[in-house]
Each structure stands twice: as structure tokens, then as C-alpha cells.
Amino acid sequence: GWVLIDQVSEVVSRLLKQAPPGEFNEAFSDLRMLVDDDTMMCEEVASLCAVHNKDHFTPVKSKKCEVLLTRHNELEENRFLDPQNRVSFKYDHLKRLPSNFQDQPEEDEKGELWRRALQEALKVYVSNHYPEGLCSVFIKDTAVRKIFVACIESHQYKPSSFWNGLWKSEWTFALAPASTSTEVSGTIMVQAHYFEDGNTHLTVIKDVEETLLVTDETQTAQDFAKLVEKAENEIQGGLMEEYQHMNGTYLKSFRRQLPITRTSLDWEKVVMTKIQKEMGENEERQGSPK
């Protein structure tokens, strides 16, 4: 019995971890009906929802904070840092609510100057390219160098139209004293799920390695934002080309083939023709009046 419960728990955990962006609650509700073991499901849901939110860079926006949830700014279990507003907060992953705000003073003044410059430059880029996008820059200080992690998230969840989509990217580089350049490592991920009369998933992951020249805070931040913009534009362009190709090949085969005339159909004429035809047929069956 216990072995079977453990196996079911493992399957549920694996399926929830694979839940598409914006669909964790729906996946949980469906599995809850199938499994019919509320005790086990409730034991799993909180921690798995937390993993889901951090993996997908869930945005948190309130009067006191505006930040992405990631593993980089988790101070302790379910408490996160918003370095831009200098606060930390507790986050309820199930209710999606921040609470218990506490002031969080900066620890490294010089590092914070760099972090804020990077945040502002990246925010300009994100605001111009993503209608609902949000970015957060975090700093990790070590004895030898400062490590900066920049995260971007933008999503469109349209379950009423049977689709959800997410774009996220993560960029990391280190600054050592007197460094004139640094290597930027980036990972861009695009996920889309279309589920009207079918079930189509798209996942694209692209790793990027680029060199960034290091000068002063402002110039380096602007160059970093340009680097990110160039890499993400290339991914966007590649996706559009691939979509056009798929639309004429793979996706085309999913649809029922109909003739293409490229002309508008006169529905009134079609209906009248049909009525006249039926009337003529009725007259033939009944015989023409003398």
C-alpha cells in the first residue's frame, strides 16, 4: 500500500513540475480528481507550487514591491528580496499574495550602484519590447568578485482563447576589481501551449555566450542592455521564420483542407439559390398548376 502511494506521489510530482506556465492550478485540480487522495495532494501542492513560481519567474506587483520570484532572491523559505525597493516579504505561493514586509537596507554601496544602473538600463529595454514584461537584477557578493544576475519575464495567459505563452531569460556575469571585460552567460526560454481541439506545446531554449566590455556603471549597463536586446531579437526573428515554415507545412496538415478562391462568399445569393432550387423541386414533384 505504502509503495503504491509513493509511486502515485512521484507521478503527481513529476506531472505538476511539467505543468505549462499559468496552468499549475488547473493541472492540480485535474490530478486531484483523478487521484482522489486529498491528504497526499495537499502535502505536495505547496512546495511544488513554490518550485513552479520560481522556475517561471513569477512577477509580484504591489504598492510596496515589484520584483520577480526566483531562486536568486529567495532569502529563506518563502521569503524574498526586492532589492530595488529595499524590502523583503513573505510570499504565499498558493494565494499568490505577498505579506509581512520588512525593510532591507543595502549591504554593499558600490555593488548597489552597479546593480541599479543595470536595472534601469534593462528596464528601458523591457518596457519598449514587452507589453507586460518585468525585469529584476540581483547581486551576489563574494570575496573576490561581484556576480550579477538579471532576469526577464513576460507572459500572455489567455485560457479563454485556449492558449498560454511565456518568455523568460536569465543573464549572469561577474565583475572583479580592475576588470576590463567579462563573459555574459544567458539562457532564453520560450514556452507556449495551445489546447483548442488539440494539445500543442512549444518549448525553445537558447544558450548565449557574449563578451561585455567593462567601463563605468552607466555605459556598461547600456552596453549590457544592448547585448540582451540583440540576442533576444535574434531568437524572436528565428522563431517567426520557423513559424512561417511550420504554418505552410506541419501546421497546415493539422487543418481540414478546403479550396482557396481568395474571393468573398455572397451568402445571401447562396441562400436564395438554395431556396429557389428547393421550390423548383417541390413544383416538379407536385406538378405544374394548369
Side-chain angles (χ1 to χ4, degrees):
W2 289 111
V3 173
L4 181 59
I5 292 174
D6 287 342
Q7 289 175 341
V8 172
S9 176
E10 184 180 341
V11 171
V12 167
S13 175
R14 195 160 61 244
L15 289 172
L16 286 177
K17 286 178 180 177
Q18 295 174 25
E23 298 177 40
F24 182 89
N25 290 349
E26 289 77 4
F28 175 77
S29 297
D30 291 345
L31 286 169
R32 189 178 186 180
M33 292 177 63
L34 291 171
V35 172
D36 197 25
D37 186 340
D38 267 5
T39 302
M40 184 201 71
M41 293 297 291
C42 289
E43 287 175 354
E44 295 283 344
V45 66
S47 61
L48 290 172
C49 187
V51 170
H52 182 87
N53 287 339
K54 287 182 287 186
D55 281 351
H56 294 94
F57 295 172
T58 299
V60 180
K61 296 182 181 181
S62 75
K63 292 181 179 179
K64 294 183 178 180
C65 71
E66 186 174 88
V67 70
L68 300 177
L69 297 184
T70 76
R71 58 188 175 86
H72 304 294
N73 61 323
E74 188 171 24
L75 302 175
E76 56 189 61
E77 188 176 9
N78 297 337
R79 175 165 284 277
F80 295 85
L81 170 68
D82 177 354
Q84 195 70 6
N85 291 294
R86 297 176 183 172
V87 296
S88 65
F89 56 91
K90 198 83 173 176
Y91 190 75
D92 188 320
H93 291 279
L94 297 176
K95 296 179 180 178
R96 295 183 176 273
L97 290 174
S99 63
N100 190 17
F101 289 89
Q102 296 178 5
D103 292 335
Q104 199 78 20
E106 62 187 48
E107 298 179 358
D108 177 4
E109 185 176 347
K110 180 65 175 175
E112 182 61 13
L113 287 174
W114 277 91
R115 194 204 64 75
R116 285 187 175 273
L118 291 165
Q119 173 85 35
E120 292 305 319
L122 200 62
K123 184 178 180 180
V124 171
Y125 157 65
V126 171
S127 299
N128 289 334
H129 285 72
Y130 300 97
E132 300 294 333
L134 187 64
C135 64
S136 292
V137 180
F138 311 112
I139 182 172
K140 298 179 180 181
D141 207 359
T142 67
V144 180
R145 57 186 184 165
K146 303 180 192 303
I147 300 173
F148 295 93
V149 182
C151 300
I152 297 173
E153 189 272 357
S154 183
H155 68 261
Q156 287 288 321
Y157 298 152
K158 301 287 186 181
S160 60
S161 298
F162 308 103
W163 64 266
N164 293 310
L166 169 76
W167 179 296
K168 71 167 191 172
S169 62
E170 180 180 312
W171 306 86
T172 306
F173 66 89
L175 288 184
S179 57
T180 57
S181 67
T182 183
E183 294 302 311
V184 178
S185 297
T187 300
I188 303 169
M189 173 180 278
V190 184
Q191 287 182 278
H193 182 208
Y194 178 74
F195 46 94
E196 182 180 20
D197 297 330
N199 195 351
T200 305
H201 288 263
L202 167 73
T203 300
V204 176
I205 301 175
K206 176 69 174 179
D207 292 326
V208 180
E209 296 287 339
E210 294 285 349
T211 299
L212 175 68
L213 295 180
V214 178
T215 52
D216 58 77
E217 295 98 323
T218 303
Q219 186 60 52
T220 305
Q222 290 176 355
D223 290 343
F224 171 68
K226 289 177 183 176
L227 182 156
V228 172
E229 179 177 10
K230 180 175 180 291
E232 297 199 342
N233 280 346
E234 287 177 358
I235 296 295
Q236 169 83 5
L239 281 173
M240 293 306 294
E241 287 182 13
E242 182 63 24
Y243 172 74
Q244 292 296 335
H245 173 67
M246 291 175 63
N247 202 34
T249 55
Y250 313 125
L251 296 181
K252 189 176 181 180
S253 65
F254 292 163
R255 308 188 189 106
R256 183 175 57 180
Q257 297 299 307
L258 293 172
I260 298 175
T261 62
R262 300 190 184 280
T263 57
S264 299
L265 191 60
D266 188 340
W267 288 105
E268 185 176 349
K269 183 178 179 181
V270 171
V271 172
M272 290 304 298
T273 301
K274 186 177 181 181
I275 292 174
Q276 290 171 0
K277 182 180 178 183
E278 290 177 349
M279 288 178 63
E281 291 175 349
N282 287 337
E283 288 179 357
E284 286 181 5
R285 284 197 296 268
Q286 294 172 6
S288 300
K290 301 286 185 184

